[in-house]
Every structure is written in C-alpha cells, then in structure tokens.
Amino acid sequence: MGGELSYKCQGNSSNGNKLYQIKLTIYRDCNSINGAPFDNPAIVGIYNGTNLVQKLQLPLQAVFLLPYSAPSPCAPPPPNTCIEYTTYTSTIALPPVPGGYTIVYQRCCRNSTIINLINPDFNGATYMATIPPMDTACNSSPHFPYHPPLILCRNMGFNFDHSAIDDDGDSLVYSLCNAFHGGGRDNIPGGPTSPQPDPPLPPPYSNVTYAPGYSGANPMMGNPPMIIHPQTGILSANPTISGIHVVTVCVQEWRNGQLLGIHRRDYQFTVYNCDLSKFATIRPQNLVPETYCAGLTIPFVSYSNNAKSYFWKFNDPGKAPGDTSNLQNPTYTFSDTGVYNVMLVIDAGNGCKDTTYEIYEVRYPLNVYFEHQGSLCLPNTQVQFLLKGTSLSPMAKIHWNFGNNASVSGYNGASPPVITFNTPGPHLVTLEVEDFGCKSYFSDTVQFFQPPIFNADASSIEVCLGEGVQFFNQSTAETPLFCLWDFDNGLTSTQCNPLHYYQNPGIYFPKLKVYTLTGCIDSAEISLPPITIYPAPKASFSANPINASIFFPTIFFKNTSKSDVPAQYSLILSDGTMVPNFDEYRHTFSDTGRYTAVVKVINNYGCVDTDSLVIWIFPEITIFVPNAFTPNGDGINDIFFVSVSGILEFEISIFNRWGDRVYFSTNPSEGWDGTHQGANVPSGVYNYIIKARDYQDVLHVKKGQVYLFN
C-alpha cells in the first residue's frame, strides 16, 4: 500500500568511509488474501550511477498495526479497514564518490482496485533515496514522522501534516509528484521484471501509468483538488470520488542554494463514502427473535461506531425517570408488557453526537395448556375443556382440535362446548394459541374407559376362632381400584385383598366399598354373606417329669385343656401310644431317646387345637477303666480300652510320670496300644484323665492310673 526509503548519517567508519543507517518502511493491507506478505528478506540495491555497489538483504522484524484516526469524529471506519507496516534497517559504510549513490527497493504489484491508475495490478513500486556526490559532510535524508491516515471521507475536506524532518536543518520544499513503477509480473524469480527484482534495477525509473484525468500532480479528484503547501507540507483535499488513490509526495532537500536530493513517500489513500448523518444504531429486534416473547427483561446491543459515551432511554412510564442506562450494551427490565420506542444517544467527542430510535415489543412468553373435567365413562362421555396458563388478550387466536371421533372436531375460542366421544381408548386433543405474535402449542390425550365391574368374596363363611378369613376384591376396572373393608367388628382395612383374624366368636356382616379416582370414576358398596366365627378350644397338658432316666422311665400326663363347648381330648405319643378320652395317664417308656407328646382337642364345631411337649428318656452314664494291660503282641490284653455309656462327648489323655502326654483321643472305641510317636513306651505306671459329658450336659471327670507291662 506504499512505502518510504530514507537514510541517516552515523559518522565516519575506522577507514574514513561514511556510515549510513538505511531505513525502509513498507505499508500493507492486513486483510489481503491473495496479496504477497512482507518480504523476508527485503532486497535493497546501492548504485553509483548504473553500477551496483552493494546488495543488502534486510530481515523482517516486528510488524505493527497503523492506528485508525477518523477523518471526522462522526465518521465510522469502513468495514475490514486494517493497515499494517514494518521497518527494515541496516547500517553500511560508503566512501564519498563522484555521482553519489542511489539506494533502491522495488516490489510488484499494486492493489487491483486502485482507481487513478490504468491496470494498477500491472504497476509496481520503486522506493528510493539519493546520497549526494562527494558527501564529505555526511548528509542525512529527510524522513516523514507521521503515518498517513487510513481513510478520507468523500465530500469532506481534510488537512494532513505531511511535513518531513531533516536532521541537518536543510530547507525542504514539498510537491505532489509521479509515483515510480518497479518490478513486474514475470515468473522468472529475481528477474528485473519479476515481482521481487533481485537486485533492484538502477536509475532512471519509469512512472506509473495514470488513468485519464489523473496525474502525479493531480492524484485525486476533488473540489478543490488535492494540493500540498510547498513550505509547510500540509496536504489538503476535498475528495469527491470514493476509491483507492496512489499519492506520492516529493521533498526537495536544499542546502546553501544547492539541491542535495529528492525524498519521496508513495502511499495509497482510501476515500470512503462516510455516513456522517447517522452513526448511532441499536440492534434491531428482528435480529434477535428470541426477545419477542421472552418476558420483561430484554438485552440491548449498540451497533454504534466511535462512541465514547452512551445514553439509553427506554421510555418506560412505569419506571421513569429511572428508565435509563449509560452502559454500551445494557439489559433492561420493563415494568410491563407493551411496545416501547427505545432511544440511544451516543457521543463520539468533539461535539459529535447522534440519536437513534428502535421499536421493541415486550411480551410474556406464552405457556398455555388445558385441563378437562366431566365423565370419561362410555357410553355417556361428556368432557368440558378448560384453557389454562398465560393470560391472553381479547385479540388472541385460539384453536382447538378434538379429532374426527369427537362431537365437535374443531373450535376457535377460549371456551369450547361440552365435547362427547363415542369410542374407547386415547384421543389426541391439541391447542394452538397466538397472541401479539407469540405462539404456544399444547397437546394431550384424553382416555375413555369402560365402566368398572364390582364384586367381592371371602374364603369361608364358617371359621374357627384364630383362623384367618381371606377377603377378595374381585372388581375390575381400567384404572386403579381403591378399597375400604368394614369387617363389622370395629376394624377396617384399605387393602383390596386383606387377611383378617376375628378376635371373638359371633356372626359378622362384612362390607366392601370399592371405587376409582381416575378414568371412569365410579364406586360400589358390596355386602358379603354373614361370616360365623365359632369358639375354638385351648389345648394344654402337663408331663412330670419332663426328663427321666432309663432306670425310672415312667411319666405322668395330666390334661389341662379348656373348651366352652363339648369336646374330645386325645393324647398321642411318638412311640405309637394313643390315649382317647384323655384326662390323666401314666406311661412307661421302654427305651432311651427323645419323645413327642401331643394333646389334640376337637370341639363340637369341628374346631381343633393341639399342644405338644418333648420328653427325654436318657441313659445312665457308666465309665469302666481297666487298671493294667500288656501290649507285648501276644494277642491278649494288648490294647488299653475304656468302656463308657450314656455320654455325648468323650476325651481321654494319658501322661507319663514326667507329665508328658503320650496319648489323646475323643473316640471311646479307640484304644491305646502302648506307643508314643511310633515307639513303644517303657513299662510303668501312667496317669489318665477322662472327661465325659452326658445327655443332660453334665461334665464327668475321672482320674486314675494304669499299669503297662511289656
């Protein structure tokens, strides 16, 4: 987009040459998609006449954004406006020579949208500076301290300080001049007519081709045309045509009446059709349709440009004068629904203000639904539908759809008539509502049912006291059934199939109330046949003793049963004995063991009760221990055996005279063979301890000695 090449003398080198710091500044469009990036490196040539003295390769360093300075405080920047620039530097040593030096950088090609050039994308650029002949005074070229503006506004005059600084204090004269062409579009890398000549060509340089009506001295159409003051460097214009223009400013450097050189800056000025009449903008509500039916709280966004302060007035009578905000993007809660003309005033400074208005509708979100009441029992269905939810205006559009199986298939309005349905099963009903542009949709199914069938029963109508009566709800319905039983004894149950125990004999008249709460709502009270509860006997008896020795196995049984009515009593023993008409009885058991005795009572109503006891006839305990044995292998008295009877648990330990246990066993059928750990023990006296637990859980301990003879 433009550039400038300057130099500054740094003094003398060690061999008497002059040191010059070369500075190349290049501007570029940030948003360029197909354009070339900054060169890295930038190729700079130094010529004495047409002789190449030196070629420099300057590396790319930092890249900066050109700050935007509005041509007017009320002028927003055009979209996608972005210019970046970079500076290449290098220091070289050159001896003063006749003819001086030309420093040059060339690059092709320019922006294809430039309007003051013919075929602009076939025109390149040459940025150059000259060192005077025999520069013994070590000259520094002028340089421009201010970056050009990003944009100019069409039909708005501007002044820009395009003056330069000369470190030597030389006189400077400014003019508009021709831009130089450089490079080309050839595909030969580094060639003289390639996009990046390597090296750049020597002088002289040709001018770019200006479009008709344009020239270096008249680069921009204007009223008045663009001019630059020759002494101050103030660049002035009132452009009348929008577009990109190549403008080149030349600075003649004079000292003591002698022209030392001409410094140049080549730059693309963009003229934009700035909208100065209106730059305050509120985001329209149609861009955020979710705010139309969102309630009282609405977010607002300023689309304004260059604003330094904001003042919002929401014109809400319910909150005035507090209906304002100074935020850029406020969120405001209105006092009520309605249509509001929202105002925004922005201030860009320098007295530039603008005011705009935007209409916003504030509505509650619609949330409607329906409920229904009436009979859902076939065949006499009658349903009233009730509209519920958000309050609606009188202008709201309400449409019901009841389906083809309803007495009325569709209805418009808030209160439809009573609707009848003649077929069972679910029926889809829909509701559509629109109010102030807000819409709501609701649908639900209405289920119709066959009437319930009610019935109940009990497991028996004659029961002995103590036996449970199982009650059954045999009703059927398409929705849940609820039950309440009354057992006619002051007790109730909400179980549908309860098991009930009556506490007293008598005749009872139970009833069931069964009903539905949903679907086909109905109820019935069912009286069951009377239930007779007969008195039951109470069986009991005693046995003395409960536990007895086999030496005294006779047990005395006595009947203690009770019955309010005549009854029969029987004693049944598990050894096979049965005693009818039992009152008192003595029985002698023939063997040891546990026996069950049962008393069974049957009254005249057939009610039965039993009682039982466990009788234990236990054996007497005996422990016989021999006092000697001879484990010599002759087959006679070789094993020491202990004989026991009447025991449940047994153990024996045998010790030598030093207290070492040489034998242990819990099996009385085993015997000691006179060995310990596989070897015969010596003859002598051995001590034993026997522990035995009988059937009454009594522990018996016996100690003694046995003589062992080998």
Side-chain angles (χ1 to χ4, degrees), residues 274-322:
C274 304
D275 183 3
L276 303 181
S277 62
K278 181 179 180 181
F279 68 105
T281 306
I282 300 172
R283 179 178 64 178
Q285 192 175 21
N286 59 9
L287 296 183
V288 277
E290 64 271 16
T291 64
Y292 277 107
C293 303
L296 301 180
T297 301
I298 304 292
F300 291 89
V301 175
S302 169
Y303 278 177
S304 309
N305 296 301
N306 299 329
K308 294 183 178 179
S309 65
Y310 302 84
F311 176 76
W312 295 80
K313 178 71 172 175
F314 299 100
N315 291 316
D316 181 2
K319 287 190 175 182

Side-chain angles (χ1 to χ4, degrees), residues 3-7 23 25 27 85 87 128 141-148 160-167 172-175 177 228 232-235 247-252 262-267:
E4 171 190 7
L5 197 155
S6 63
Y7 63 90
K23 181 178 180 181
T25 300
Y27 298 92
Y85 69 94
T87 300
M128 48 86 67
S141 71
H143 61 278
F144 296 104
Y146 307 117
H147 295 292
F160 171 64
D161 186 357
H162 208 298
S163 62
I165 296 175
D166 189 277
D167 295 336
L172 303 179
V173 178
Y174 302 92
S175 64
C177 56
I228 188 168
T232 64
I234 299 299
L235 187 67
V247 176
T248 304
V249 174
C250 289
V251 183
Q252 295 179 353
I262 300 177
H263 183 66
R264 313 164 62 86
R265 177 157 69 181
D266 183 332
Y267 188 77

Side-chain angles (χ1 to χ4, degrees), residues 551 619-625 642-647 650 690 692 694 700 702:
F551 293 161
E620 288 291 335
I621 184 170
T622 61
I623 302 175
F624 172 74
V625 183
V642 177
S643 298
V644 296
S645 64
I647 66 169
F650 168 86
I690 297 173
D694 63 19
H700 301 266
K702 186 172 184 178

Side-chain angles (χ1 to χ4, degrees), residues 541-548 555 557 571-574 589 593-599 611-617:
F541 71 105
S542 63
N544 187 28
I546 293 295
N547 300 325
I555 308 299
F557 296 95
L571 174 65
I572 304 170
L573 302 178
S574 59
F589 290 93
R594 284 185 171 85
Y595 296 90
T596 301
V598 177
V599 169
D611 189 19
S612 64
L613 292 172
V614 175
I615 309 299
W616 185 22
I617 306 299

Side-chain angles (χ1 to χ4, degrees), residues 366-495:
L366 277 189
N367 182 18
V368 298
Y369 62 99
F370 60 78
E371 295 177 352
H372 59 82
Q373 60 187 22
S375 173
L376 302 180
C377 294
L378 293 168
N380 300 313
T381 63
Q382 289 189 330
V383 184
Q384 179 69 64
F385 289 90
L386 306 174
L387 177 62
K388 300 289 184 177
T390 307
S391 297
L392 303 175
S393 75
M395 302 302 295
K397 299 177 181 179
I398 305 170
H399 178 69
W400 302 80
N401 188 340
F402 301 105
N404 295 329
N405 292 319
S407 58
V408 176
S409 60
Y411 181 79
N412 293 321
S415 301
V418 173
I419 308 297
T420 61
F421 297 84
N422 298 317
T423 56
H427 292 261
L428 179 65
V429 177
T430 62
L431 170 65
E432 298 180 48
V433 177
E434 180 177 353
D435 197 12
F436 292 112
C438 302
K439 296 181 180 181
S440 181
Y441 177 86
F442 181 79
S443 65
D444 197 6
T445 55
V446 182
Q447 182 87 24
F448 297 97
F449 307 91
Q450 298 291 347
I453 299 175
F454 298 110
N455 197 11
D457 198 3
S459 59
S460 177
I461 60 173
E462 294 182 343
V463 179
C464 296
L465 188 66
E467 296 179 1
V469 180
Q470 180 69 59
F471 292 93
F472 302 99
N473 169 37
Q474 297 177 329
S475 306
T476 59
E478 296 179 2
T479 55
L481 286 165
F482 298 89
C483 302
L484 179 61
W485 287 91
D486 182 353
F487 301 114
D488 193 29
N489 62 349
L491 299 178
T492 61
S493 175
T494 57
Q495 297 182 20

